[in-house]
């Protein structure tokens, strides 16, 4: 079981380090930590009880949902905000605190930025996103958010970039 648990952690951290936390990745990580805990419990504790499995699962579940700063939803939002800002800075797209849609940028970067905008818009993070874009784009995005058309938020951001190069 140990090699499989190691492989599970490698797979999870490969995704998290590449794209940041989302709620599903957070829950998979919590389940992996829980599984590791259960395995170590049954290996090292002499007086084992099967009650440990549901009790520990409940504790991990409660932790992942109830803790204000460490719950899945706040961790995912913070992570995606950080990933978005890092992408904008690395690609020199921020100019006076706003995205410069005229800079030359790869299509994969455009898609990544648009995905993060959609993710954050679905989670009511407009106050974070609003300062990054111009008034015209803000109005269009706000109109689509109000209608629940989050996929149009993504396409609006993609269409806003003027100098996109195709990745090979």
């Amino acid at each position: 079981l140990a090699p499989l648990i190691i492989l599970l952690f490698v797979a999870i951290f490969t995704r998290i380090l590449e794209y940041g936390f989302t709620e599903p990745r957070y829950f998979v990580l919590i389940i992996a930590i829980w599984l590791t805990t259960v395995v170590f419990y049954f290996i090292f504790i002499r007086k084992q009880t099967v009650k440990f499995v549901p009790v520990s699962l409940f504790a991990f579940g409660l932790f992942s949902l109830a803790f204000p700063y460490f719950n899945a939803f706040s961790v995912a939002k913070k992570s995606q905000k950080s990933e978005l800002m890092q992408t904008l800075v690395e690609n020199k797209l921020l100019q006076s605190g706003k995205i410069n849609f005229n800079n030359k940028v790869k299509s994969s970067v455009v898609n990544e930025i648009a995905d993060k905008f959609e993710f954050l818009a679905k989670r009511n993070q407009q106050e974070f996103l609003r300062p990054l874009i111009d008034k015209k784009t803000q109005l269009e995005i706000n109109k689509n958010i109000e209608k629940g058309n989050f996929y149009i938020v993504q396409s609006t951001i993609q269409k806003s970039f003027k100098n996109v190069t195709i990745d090979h």
Side-chain angles (χ1 to χ4, degrees), residues 78-113:
K78 284 183 285 198
S79 174
Q80 292 302 304
K81 286 177 184 179
S82 173
E83 290 283 326
L84 174 61
M85 294 309 291
Q86 182 180 346
T87 301
L88 293 173
V89 168
E90 284 176 359
N91 292 282
K92 298 176 181 70
L93 294 172
L94 281 181
Q95 189 173 33
S96 302
K98 293 203 179 291
I99 298 173
N100 184 349
F101 290 109
N102 295 318
N103 282 6
K104 190 174 184 178
V105 64
K106 293 181 181 178
S107 60
S108 61
V109 173
V110 170
N111 292 335
E112 184 179 341
I113 292 168

Side-chain angles (χ1 to χ4, degrees), residues 150-161:
F150 296 105
Y151 61 93
I152 296 179
V153 169
Q154 183 180 24
S155 67
T156 300
I157 294 299
Q158 288 171 328
K159 288 187 285 184
S160 297
F161 284 95

